[in-house]
Amino acid sequence: MIPSHLIYTKQASHKRLSHRDPKRLSHRDSALTNCLSHRDSALTKRLSHRDSAHTKGLSHRASAHTKCLSHRDSALTKRLSHRDSALTNCLSYRDSALNKRLSHRDSALTNCLSHRDSALTKRLSHRASAHTKRLSHRDSALTNCLSHRDSALNKRLSHRDSALTNCLSHRDSALTKRFSHRASAHTKCLSHRDSALTKRLSHRDSALTNCLSHRDSALNKRLSHRDSALTNCLSHWDSALTKRLSHRDSALTKFIKSTTYKVRLPHKCPPRTLWDLFYHFPNFL
């Protein structure tokens, strides 16, 4: 299609050159139409190539950005899963080590107390047997000595025997009382030690459980804050990329609209060939 201003210039040139040869005018018209058709086809090809290249570049950029975001998400999820597994393993190892140490301490304390009880009972039994043996040996010696003495001394020996029996009975009662007091004191001491050990172990268990619960809560809070921060960052990046792509599309459309030039040919010397058109209009394309 020939523009309206070119048609007007063509009519004016026919009026001015009515006395010239009509063959030259027909050749010029055919050259102009060929030049304009070639120019329109070249412009359409260049615009189509630019649009296709721009769409390909945008598609490649979008695919690269999605691949980068997917790789980042997978890497972050892997790191968080590895951290969670490492923390759970560390806490399990600590719990098992603490349980082993407490069990070893309990077994050692029970063994120590059992050895002490057995040693005390053995010492008390040896003391009682030795004391009874000494008393029996003394009684036999005294009876043999008194029997071999004279009958005149029987009364004195009887008085002495009664005195000795009273003394021995008092000594036996005193010894039995002292042994009973020692045994009661020992049992009380052992009971107080057992109660103190159980209280200390219960306080340690409660402190350990509180510490582990606080650590678990702190870890859960930190992981939730990290997840929220990552989601916010990814949403901001997506919004920024969409805004930049929309601005680029609008700028490209404005640039394509602004690059459509209106061609005006001179009235005096119309171009005969495409080279003349480029010479007169260097910004034609």
Side-chain angles (χ1 to χ4, degrees):
M1 295 295 291
I2 300 170
S4 61
H5 63 276
L6 291 177
I7 295 168
Y8 179 75
T9 54
K10 184 179 177 182
Q11 290 176 0
S13 64
H14 275 296
K15 287 179 181 179
R16 289 177 184 178
L17 301 173
S18 59
H19 62 280
R20 292 181 181 180
D21 194 2
K23 289 183 179 179
R24 293 178 66 189
L25 292 174
S26 63
H27 284 297
R28 285 179 184 176
D29 293 333
S30 63
L32 280 171
T33 53
N34 290 321
C35 181
L36 290 172
S37 64
H38 283 295
R39 173 204 171 240
D40 292 331
S41 64
L43 282 171
T44 53
K45 284 180 180 179
R46 287 184 69 186
L47 289 174
S48 64
H49 282 298
R50 283 183 184 177
D51 292 331
S52 64
H54 182 64
T55 53
K56 285 180 181 179
L58 291 176
S59 65
H60 283 297
R61 284 182 183 175
S63 64
H65 183 66
T66 52
K67 286 180 181 179
C68 183
L69 290 175
S70 65
H71 284 297
R72 284 184 182 175
D73 292 331
S74 64
L76 286 170
T77 51
K78 285 180 181 178
R79 287 179 68 187
L80 290 173
S81 64
H82 283 298
R83 284 184 182 175
D84 292 332
S85 63
L87 286 170
T88 52
N89 289 321
C90 182
L91 291 173
S92 64
Y93 281 119
R94 284 184 181 175
D95 291 332
S96 63
L98 286 170
N99 291 319
K100 285 180 181 179
R101 288 179 67 185
L102 290 172
S103 63
H104 283 298
R105 284 183 182 176
D106 292 333
S107 63
L109 286 169
T110 51
N111 289 322
C112 182
L113 291 172
S114 64
H115 283 298
R116 284 184 182 177
D117 292 333
S118 63
L120 285 170
T121 52
K122 284 179 181 180
R123 287 177 68 185
L124 290 172
S125 64
H126 283 298
R127 283 184 182 178
S129 64
H131 185 66
T132 52
K133 284 179 181 180
R134 287 175 68 186
L135 289 174
S136 64
H137 284 296
R138 283 180 184 179
D139 292 332
S140 64
L142 285 171
T143 52
N144 289 321
C145 183
L146 289 171
S147 64
H148 287 290
R149 286 183 182 183
D150 296 328
S151 62
L153 294 172
N154 286 327
K155 290 181 181 180
R156 291 176 68 184
L157 289 172
S158 63
H159 287 292
R160 286 181 182 179
D161 290 332
S162 63
L164 284 169
T165 53
N166 290 320
C167 182
L168 290 171
S169 64
H170 285 295
R171 283 182 183 178
D172 292 332
S173 63
L175 285 169
T176 53
K177 285 180 181 180
R178 285 176 71 183
F179 286 140
S180 64
H181 283 297
R182 283 183 183 177
S184 63
H186 185 66
T187 53
K188 286 180 181 179
C189 182
L190 291 174
S191 64
H192 284 298
R193 284 183 183 176
D194 292 332
S195 63
L197 285 170
T198 53
K199 285 181 181 179
R200 287 177 68 184
L201 290 172
S202 63
H203 284 298
R204 283 183 184 177
D205 293 332
S206 63
L208 285 170
T209 53
N210 290 321
C211 181
L212 290 173
S213 63
H214 284 297
R215 284 183 182 176
D216 292 332
S217 62
L219 285 170
N220 290 320
K221 286 181 182 178
R222 287 178 68 186
L223 289 173
S224 64
H225 284 299
R226 284 182 184 177
D227 293 332
S228 63
L230 285 170
T231 53
N232 290 322
C233 183
L234 290 173
S235 64
H236 284 299
W237 284 353
D238 292 332
S239 63
L241 283 170
T242 53
K243 285 181 182 179
R244 287 179 68 184
L245 290 172
S246 64
H247 283 300
R248 284 183 183 177
D249 293 332
S250 62
L252 285 169
T253 52
K254 287 180 181 179
F255 178 73
I256 290 166
K257 287 180 180 179
S258 63
T259 52
T260 56
Y261 296 101
K262 293 180 180 180
V263 179
R264 293 181 181 179
L265 296 172
H267 297 288
K268 294 181 180 180
C269 55
R272 296 179 181 178
T273 60
L274 187 62
W275 176 258
D276 295 333
L277 184 64
F278 288 143
Y279 179 77
H280 288 291
F281 299 95
N283 294 324
F284 183 67
L285 292 176

